[in-house]
Amino acid sequence: MNLYDRIPNNVNLSEDKKLQRALEKWLPNYLDWWREMGPEGFQDKDVWLRTAVDVGSEGWAHFDYVKMPDYRWGIFLEPPKPDAKIGFGDNYGRPAYQEVPGEFRNSLRRIIVTQGDTEPASVEQQRQLGKTCPSLYDLRNLFQVNVEEGRHLWAMVYLLHGYFGRDGRDEADALLERRSGNPDKPRILEAFNQPCDDWLNFFAFTMFTDRDGKYQLSALAESGFEPLARTCQFMLTEEAHHMFVGDTGLGRVVRRTAQLMREGDVRELGGIPLEIIQKYINFWFSYSLDLFGGEISSNSADFFAAGLKGRFQEQKQYTEHTAANEIFTMQVVEDNQLKPREVPMRNALNEVLRGEYVKDCEKGLARWNKILAEAGLTERLYLPNPRFHRHVGEYAGHTFDLHGNLITREEFEKRKSEWLPAMEDREYVRSLMHPVTEIGKIANWIAPPAAGIKGKPFDFEYVRLG
Ligand SMILES: [Fe+2]
Ligand SMILES: [Fe+2]
């Protein structure tokens, strides 16, 4: 472990001078990006953050006050497994790739760049949120997510610099040049160009969009390209906290709304009505589904065949690892009707991964609905049908209602404001967003968390603003 190097790492960076020099050259550019695009207005504040210092299942993180630009962004990979094998696809059982196989070089670089691009993008999307935090606890969680997305960018940049030579270095530079939502140089994936400018958006984003990250990383953690697998395995431990922030954040909004519903009119009482929460769920769930790619995909087949991207928990969940002779049946639109179509399994793997993701999201909905039930309310939240409001894949270009029934574009446009956040919904939510920064205090529209962070109470000074 080289914790006190300029770039903390467990990959013996000091023994690879060329790579070390390249990354040390990238570091100041990264810091410039962080100062320009990281959380606005809090760069000189002490924040009680966890920093990854090891990859062991115990004690991998260190908690202390740190100013964000001084955060120790490091490179940490799970330890290599002796004689690691390719776990699926046409080369199943052969030794894992330790270097990039030439014929898959472009695909692999594309996978890494696409994943890498999401990490700084989310920091950019969230950079104004600190100014309207509902509590110091939430402010700290926002910054924790932000610095770790920064570290995830480092993880991908390490692979680009370490394994892709010249074009890897160019891609690493480009990761600092694109900007979320900028029409001239947008981020690669659309969900990462959507504004995330209020805390309901933030919680929905970390619940649904970070959870896409979990499934992409899980599929890559199975990769036969071992450095990628080991990197993604460790990123998943950090990612779990991001989803916790989203899941419990939305749960706390639901809890507060349920309380206010029993007291009177939620709007008059300054809370967020359930209908608005539902619309935010519909928006972020549908955009996040797009991130899995087309339902029928030759890329997914190629990546799987090559042993680059596996299925969710490939080793744990499956006994047959070639998926060569299987068929998957899905609904597609033909002659303006939904019809079943049989697809070779390997071409349907995006859809299979999306299915795993939907199951996971449903568990979140069940937790929130339990809060409503316990409050004695009969209203429930739900996930829209996965065909609803899609911009990628088989269903893009068609319009569906929340139940997944085909409808005309005209009808969709007419009813859109019932289903997705309208301008006035966004404005209403924004009107509630006033910063609450007194120790132990919380905004009116959200309930406090059940517990603080790492044994600290809720009324701990998670961020020192003084
Ligand atoms: Fe991430
Ligand atoms: Fe994340």
Side-chain angles (χ1 to χ4, degrees):
M1 199 68 49
N2 303 77
L3 276 183
Y4 301 99
D5 286 6
R6 230 176 130 204
I7 302 166
N9 68 89
N10 70 346
V11 293
N12 281 327
L13 198 52
S14 56
E15 284 170 23
D16 186 342
K17 291 291 172 210
K18 200 170 154 222
L19 178 58
Q20 186 179 31
R21 264 198 308 276
L23 287 170
E24 284 183 353
K25 231 175 109 188
W26 190 80
L27 171 64
N29 299 338
Y30 169 80
L31 288 173
D32 285 347
W33 167 81
W34 178 270
R35 285 197 199 90
E36 188 196 327
M37 295 312 294
E40 194 176 290
F42 297 90
Q43 300 280 352
D44 60 342
K45 305 297 182 207
D46 286 313
V47 187
W48 198 68
L49 291 175
R50 88 176 167 189
T51 302
V53 292
D54 196 357
V55 295
S57 55
E58 272 161 58
W60 64 272
H62 174 73
F63 286 75
D64 206 350
Y65 286 104
V66 57
K67 292 183 182 37
M68 285 183 277
D70 301 332
Y71 190 77
R72 305 281 290 155
W73 284 284
I75 296 165
F76 297 102
L77 275 64
E78 290 288 335
K81 287 190 197 80
D83 23 86
K85 303 267 193 287
I86 297 170
F88 55 89
D90 292 345
N91 299 318
Y92 174 69
R94 301 220 188 122
Y97 310 117
Q98 298 301 331
E99 292 295 333
V100 177
E103 70 243 75
F104 308 128
R105 191 185 157 85
N106 287 345
S107 318
L108 207 43
R109 192 184 56 215
R110 188 79 198 149
I111 290 175
I112 292 167
V113 166
T114 306
Q115 177 62 40
D117 194 65
T118 66
E119 317 287 359
S122 65
V123 175
E124 293 166 0
Q125 284 168 292
Q126 297 161 14
R127 66 190 297 258
Q128 301 294 344
L129 285 172
K131 295 171 186 166
T132 55
C133 67
S135 71
L136 287 182
Y137 164 92
D138 290 291
L139 186 61
R140 177 262 170 209
N141 283 348
L142 166 69
F143 295 155
Q144 184 68 59
V145 170
N146 292 159
V147 292
E148 284 175 351
E149 301 304 7
R151 206 202 66 75
H152 292 175
L153 171 60
W154 271 95
M156 294 297 117
V157 164
Y158 162 72
L159 295 175
L160 289 171
H161 274 266
Y163 294 90
F164 292 89
R166 178 67 198 260
D167 38 334
R169 290 195 291 281
D170 291 345
E171 293 284 11
D173 291 343
L175 284 168
L176 297 176
E177 284 157 14
R178 287 185 287 273
R179 291 288 181 272
S180 175
N182 184 319
D184 299 324
K185 40 176 186 177
R187 292 295 174 180
I188 296 169
L189 300 167
E190 256 336 283
F192 293 88
N193 287 308
Q194 301 297 320
C196 186
D197 47 5
D198 67 58
W199 281 76
L200 191 57
N201 272 326
F202 174 63
F203 291 135
F205 183 94
T206 39
M207 169 73 192
F208 293 110
T209 309
D210 278 84
R211 193 172 307 275
D212 156 72
K214 168 183 166 182
Y215 282 84
Q216 300 305 329
L217 292 173
S218 299
L220 296 176
E222 304 283 341
S223 182
F225 177 45
E226 227 219 344
L228 176 63
R230 288 163 50 208
T231 303
C232 292
Q233 282 155 18
F234 183 60
M235 289 163 76
L236 281 166
T237 52
E238 289 166 316
E239 208 55 58
H241 175 70
H242 309 178
M243 290 175 287
F244 162 87
V245 168
D247 188 346
T248 58
L250 278 176
R252 289 159 52 211
V253 178
V254 171
R255 185 178 301 282
R256 182 61 180 151
T257 296
Q259 271 171 7
L260 296 175
M261 284 168 81
R262 298 179 57 109
E263 286 171 25
D265 183 86
V266 175
R267 263 176 201 262
E268 272 168 30
L269 295 167
I272 304 179
L274 275 188
E275 311 85 82
I276 295 188
I277 300 174
Q278 182 64 56
K279 289 182 193 182
Y280 275 61
I281 292 172
N282 297 346
F283 181 88
W284 285 107
F285 178 67
S286 55
Y287 264 111
S288 302
L289 291 174
D290 283 339
L291 298 171
F292 290 82
E295 279 67 16
I296 304 170
S297 162
S298 57
N299 272 346
S300 85
D302 293 346
F303 294 168
F304 186 85
L308 301 182
K309 187 175 176 186
R311 289 170 289 189
F312 180 63
Q313 296 186 336
E314 178 73 43
Q315 299 313 317
K316 234 180 168 173
Q317 236 193 142
Y318 297 89
T319 48
E320 204 289 318
H321 296 290
T322 68
N325 302 312
E326 295 168 49
I327 292 292
F328 186 92
T329 307
M330 63 174 79
Q331 297 288 318
V332 297
V333 182
E334 254 178 50
D335 310 324
N336 232 5
Q337 272 184 318
L338 279 169
K339 290 185 182 159
R341 183 186 295 169
E342 292 193 337
V343 180
M345 179 59 86
R346 284 183 176 188
N347 291 78
L349 292 179
N350 287 345
E351 181 64 3
V352 172
L353 193 60
R354 191 167 14 238
E356 298 279 359
Y357 166 83
V358 172
K359 274 195 282 178
D360 201 18
C361 291
E362 274 163 0
K363 291 182 199 156
L365 270 292
R367 283 188 285 274
W368 306 334
N369 283 332
K370 193 160 163 248
I371 295 172
L372 292 172
E374 282 168 2
L377 297 168
T378 54
E379 288 84 349
R380 294 292 179 266
L381 296 162
Y382 52 86
L383 292 176
N385 183 281
R387 292 190 286 273
F388 172 75
H389 190 235
R390 292 288 303 282
H391 300 81
V392 169
E394 284 299 305
Y395 310 119
H398 302 282
T399 37
F400 298 88
D401 66 11
L402 288 179
H403 301 287
N405 301 311
L406 259 174
I407 55 173
T408 62
R409 169 129 336 246
E410 232 181 344
E411 192 179 356
F412 180 84
E413 289 300 326
K414 217 164 53 197
R415 300 193 61 190
K416 192 167 80 172
S417 65
E418 291 169 44
W419 298 333
L420 295 164
M423 191 58 84
E424 69 229 41
D425 300 318
R426 293 183 184 279
E427 273 165 14
Y428 175 72
V429 172
R430 263 200 296 269
S431 77
L432 301 178
M433 301 288 138
H434 302 293
V436 176
T437 55
E438 244 178 285
I439 298 171
K441 291 274 157 45
I442 185 119
N444 178 54
W445 53 268
I446 185 170
I453 296 291
K454 190 77 182 162
K456 299 284 185 211
F458 173 65
D459 61 1
F460 176 71
E461 192 173 16
Y462 288 102
V463 185
R464 288 180 178 147
L465 295 176

